[in-house]
Amino acid sequence: MNPQVKAVEYAVRGPIVLKAGEIELELQRGIKKPFTEVIRANIGDAQAMGQQPITFLRQVMALCTYPNLLDSPSFPEDAKKRARHILQACGGNSLGSYSASQGVNCIREDVAAYITRRDGGVPADPDNIYLTTGASDGISTILKILVSGGGKSRTGVMIPIPQYPLYSAVISELDAIQVNYYLDEENCWALNVNELRRALREAKDHSDPKVLCIINPGNPTGQVQSRKCIEDVIHFAWEEKLFLLADEVYQDNVYSPDCRFHSFKKVLYEMGPEYSSNVELASFHSTSKGYMGECGYRGGYMEVINLHPEIKGQLVKLLSVRLCPPVSGQAAMDIVVNPPVPGEESFEQFSREKESVLGNLAKKAKLTEDMFNQVPGIQCNPLQGAMYAFPRIFIPAKAVEAAQAHKMAPDMFYCMKLLEETGICVVPGSGFGQREGTYHFRMTILPPVEKLKTVLQKVKDFHIKFLEKYA
Amino acid sequence: MNPQVKAVEYAVRGPIVLKAGEIELELQRGIKKPFTEVIRANIGDAQAMGQQPITFLRQVMALCTYPNLLDSPSFPEDAKKRARHILQACGGNSLGSYSASQGVNCIREDVAAYITRRDGGVPADPDNIYLTTGASDGISTILKILVSGGGKSRTGVMIPIPQYPLYSAVISELDAIQVNYYLDEENCWALNVNELRRALREAKDHSDPKVLCIINPGNPTGQVQSRKCIEDVIHFAWEEKLFLLADEVYQDNVYSPDCRFHSFKKVLYEMGPEYSSNVELASFHSTSKGYMGECGYRGGYMEVINLHPEIKGQLVKLLSVRLCPPVSGQAAMDIVVNPPVPGEESFEQFSREKESVLGNLAKKAKLTEDMFNQVPGIQCNPLQGAMYAFPRIFIPAKAVEAAQAHKMAPDMFYCMKLLEETGICVVPGSGFGQREGTYHFRMTILPPVEKLKTVLQKVKDFHIKFLEKYA
């Protein structure tokens, strides 16, 4: 068996989620529990939590799937226009044909146009756009290409701690070196360039650090980086000749009124040609998050900047082995970047649906922060963006001992107890990484408001009982 | 840059296909050529060649995509039943939710039921079914898990020559050792177990051979293995403790009246418990081939037999890092394994469409074989199954010299000339592997009958001219 595969860990679907599945089966078999359902707050899966798909997106997808519907009066004209636009670019005018390995041409053009609009006119080139099978596929593909070497020249990949465990998993799989830089919990999980410098300096002793991964808005930490911070990071990458990998899948998920999303691409260009012609950057987006929450379609794209033409050739070759990303996911991505505009028939309904999802998320972000901070022994930074809370939890010494007796990390022990006693499934902080001696968990804010309130109340009651039990 | 990535080659979308793209752009720009369109006979992409999707499949997919249509009188009840069946098993009843990493439960049950029917009652366990992103994803994932070691203990993976280049590409990527066994061209590309023995014996000097890959029906070679041959292979794998990897994506594509498809799973069970409880087997299927040709959805499954529970755990963990295969592709797979049955409203139309596609493919298989064998210097084995011809072509010594002068493999030189002079894009045999000194190309038989006739006539004219030119 491949030892690198053995080394892989992925907490978001790890042992606690397997346990949740077992408990669900027990409930189905009629086994009595102190709760009637498992609430899967472990993963950012909006529609599984009851979020309704955006009507326009699904209408276009249905038209593309079954083009007979193009004659149906029950579909709006703008949806039909989008569907025809997508289908004319597909082989045999069908979602059932393979696309080019880099993705359908017109969809890459639409993505480039979207980025240009988003970034206030900073140009995007369709040749730099690669459609992917969700963002995860893009991230692991680009890392696969960049990683090389053995011994002291093994490639170092810098990742934030806490991180989204796709990064650590792919780094294990590729036998690269994970280089941790710590986000500043006391400062709303901000990224500090001095910490990047420390991490890089220490990593150079035993690896060849080449890649710097940034997650903004943060997962699991929910912080939104300031423009100043992004400038500092870009300057650092330029200075140290690091390849910048910007995971920006939560770009539509910003809730704090004093925060906004700045793309690395835009800031890079605004810093001038010395940066914009030299810093290598790959940025990722997805259909899974934002307001659409279309995880199941596995749609996504990456934009690459300053990638060497030879590497680009290697990238297309590598992608071609898997033929192409799912064309239905590509179509979904197209609708995300090319939504109804004012004056179009579907614009009003689309805007209403989008604002409703994002407005609710903003409300739930605030609610979650406030409720957690009312609980003794729980501290939660503001959820500026993304769709998770990552509160710090106090775990008493006796509970740490009990966890050790069960050969579990203390926060795993905590989360298992929470699951067994309340049915609420969250992911222990140790699955994302955290400063030694601190404990956290990640919980999504996706349940509907009333349900989320109940969930938060249950966590509160559980936590207080837990503190008492292990006092 | 990762040296293993550099070593990867994938001819089906290699330099000749890039050239085809350039020529298409030139035609669009009005540059005159001796032809008016490029015919992409390089890839098994049925719908791009004009094959119409199966109506029932697309109806169910449209209903799943936009469930409002469940109220529409224009959709048949059996399609609605299938759509409800799929949706009730999806999180939030939506294709937009992530599924379990192994795939939607009820779809895995439907796949298991299909395999049981296909194999005349040999049982299949849904726990052994993994839904995948096309068959390619399953094949590369299982190889990734099985490969390990360095130096003389690097894992050897036995593959047929000619092979489908996904295998060689993944072997390069994983830094494993490719162990070639040659199919017998003089004997309709049959697999001979003595050749397996030779290949294994020689491989043991410099690697640790652990996996035996079989492609049946053959790609690019189109042979259909006899039951006897499959028994011999299974006995060999049992004897040598090899993991059997059976690529059976063309299981519905058998044309020769004296051939039929036998699954490795069925033969394994019929050989008795000594085999069925010991030989490790993974078998692959896909939505992309057969009569449905739904390549773009990237649907597929694998069934594993006798996989060690620890490896199964590792497999699920590895799959979970990418979250799940596209749920729309999973739904497409469900419809393939759970089509309309006699008595259902859509049965007649479904059967008509299915038989029309398969009947046409059978006609085109015979037509292609016959026409190629009329050309001096071309020899073509019967196309017993799959969807390709892999004729052997005679290349005169002067053409071989000319190719060398261009630093090209002789068959690449031939195929480039064919493309430039006729617009027909086929893949040189060197991309699949062939015996030293022999030359071939792979061409799909997917163009509609009349177009295929024209293509074959053009290849004939080109070949005769080529022989004359380099005589």
Side-chain angles (χ1 to χ4, degrees), chain A residues 244-466:
Chain A
L244 259 178
L245 203 152
D247 179 341
E248 304 182 319
V249 300
Y250 296 99
Q251 57 190 267
D252 287 319
N253 298 99
V254 175
Y255 314 119
S256 290
D258 46 346
C259 291
R260 51 177 284 230
F261 171 74
H262 304 274
S263 79
F264 268 75
K265 162 88 178 296
K266 180 170 194 248
V267 177
L268 181 70
Y269 273 73
E270 289 173 352
M271 286 170 73
E274 178 58 28
Y275 296 92
S276 66
S277 348
N278 288 304
V279 175
E280 291 168 297
L281 170 69
S283 157
F284 303 86
H285 196 16
S286 154
T287 59
S288 304
K289 310 301 171 187
Y291 54 88
M292 47 284 179
E294 294 285 8
C295 311
Y297 281 101
R298 314 307 298 121
Y301 75 75
M302 64 178 167
E303 182 188 22
V304 298
I305 306 294
N306 293 322
L307 200 63
H308 191 282
E310 198 201 324
I311 308 242
K312 266 179 142 172
Q314 295 290 334
L315 180 57
V316 169
K317 183 188 73 177
L318 191 63
L319 293 173
S320 73
V321 178
R322 310 289 155 84
L323 298 159
C324 67
V327 180
S328 49
Q330 297 184 48
M333 193 76 242
D334 190 66
I335 308 159
V336 171
V337 297
N338 192 13
V341 292
E344 283 187 316
E345 194 177 342
S346 304
F347 178 71
E348 202 204 328
Q349 186 183 1
F350 169 78
S351 304
R352 203 171 350 110
E353 292 176 354
K354 174 177 171 179
E355 278 155 30
S356 157
V357 172
L358 292 177
N360 267 317
L361 282 169
K363 239 182 272 171
K364 293 188 280 187
K366 191 77 185 73
L367 173 76
T368 304
E369 178 197 343
D370 291 348
M371 282 200 58
F372 274 143
N373 285 326
Q374 287 164 19
V375 186
I378 298 190
Q379 267 179 293
C380 186
N381 270 322
L383 282 65
Q384 300 172 334
M387 42 183 67
Y388 315 98
F390 194 69
R392 181 162 171 182
I393 47 176
F394 172 70
I395 298 188
K398 275 198 182 159
V400 174
E401 278 166 36
Q404 279 158 354
H406 287 81
K407 295 196 167 130
M408 275 187 201
D411 52 3
M412 174 66 91
F413 178 77
Y414 179 97
C415 293
M416 277 289 183
K417 291 279 174 213
L418 176 67
L419 174 63
E420 286 163 3
E421 292 177 23
T422 67
I424 298 166
C425 180
V426 300
V427 188
S430 45
F432 304 89
Q434 54 201 352
R435 283 214 182 262
E436 183 83 27
T438 69
Y439 305 111
H440 303 78
F441 62 78
R442 188 186 83 163
M443 189 187 93
T444 70
I445 57 167
L446 293 170
V449 177
E450 285 314 306
K451 194 168 201 170
L452 182 64
K453 280 186 189 161
T454 314
V455 167
L456 291 166
Q457 185 61 48
K458 281 186 172 187
V459 174
K460 180 181 176 179
D461 296 344
F462 165 82
H463 187 82
I464 291 169
K465 243 179 65 192
F466 186 89

Side-chain angles (χ1 to χ4, degrees), chain A residues 2 5-6 8 13 47-48 58 65-66 94 96-97 99 101 144-145 147 173 289 295-296 317 323 327-328, chain B residues 2 5-6 8 13 47-48 58-59 65 94 96-99 101 144-145 147 173 295-296 317 323 327-328:
Chain A
N2 189 330
V5 169
K6 260 196 172 159
V8 165
R13 292 202 153 186
Q47 296 188 19
R58 291 303 188 92
T65 304
Y66 191 54
S94 172
S97 301
S99 75
S101 303
K144 189 186 283 178
I145 291 209
V147 158
E173 211 182 300
K289 310 301 171 187
C295 311
K317 183 188 73 177
L323 298 159
V327 180
S328 49
Chain B
N2 189 332
V5 169
K6 260 195 173 159
V8 165
R13 294 203 152 183
Q47 297 188 19
R58 292 303 188 93
Q59 286 175 329
T65 303
S94 172
S97 302
Y98 293 119
S99 74
S101 303
K144 189 185 284 176
I145 290 210
V147 158
E173 211 182 297
C295 310
K317 183 188 71 178
L323 297 160
V327 180
S328 49

Side-chain angles (χ1 to χ4, degrees), chain A residues 10-119:
Chain A
Y10 186 69
V12 173
R13 292 202 153 186
I16 196 128
V17 184
L18 294 178
K19 182 77 190 174
E22 286 168 24
I23 292 178
E24 271 174 345
L25 282 179
E26 288 173 1
L27 285 171
Q28 279 168 28
R29 286 197 208 104
I31 296 173
K32 284 271 174 285
K33 302 268 171 193
F35 48 87
T36 54
E37 61 164 341
V38 169
I39 295 170
R40 290 178 174 261
N42 58 296
I43 189 166
D45 192 0
Q47 296 188 19
M49 282 291 177
Q51 186 180 307
Q52 290 307 299
I54 299 289
T55 304
F56 182 76
L57 189 145
R58 291 303 188 92
Q59 285 174 330
V60 180
M61 294 296 291
L63 290 160
C64 288
T65 304
Y66 191 54
N68 286 21
L69 293 170
L70 286 165
D71 300 327
S72 158
S74 5
F75 284 79
E77 276 311 311
D78 47 1
K80 291 181 182 173
K81 194 177 131 199
R82 295 296 189 293
R84 286 195 194 95
H85 170 68
I86 293 168
L87 288 176
Q88 57 77 28
C90 294
N93 303 320
S94 172
L95 291 190
S97 301
Y98 293 119
S99 75
S101 303
Q102 194 171 347
V104 173
N105 280 353
C106 86
I107 300 181
R108 291 191 292 111
E109 285 162 12
D110 289 343
V111 168
Y114 158 80
I115 294 172
T116 307
R117 283 196 310 277
R118 180 197 70 187
D119 291 345

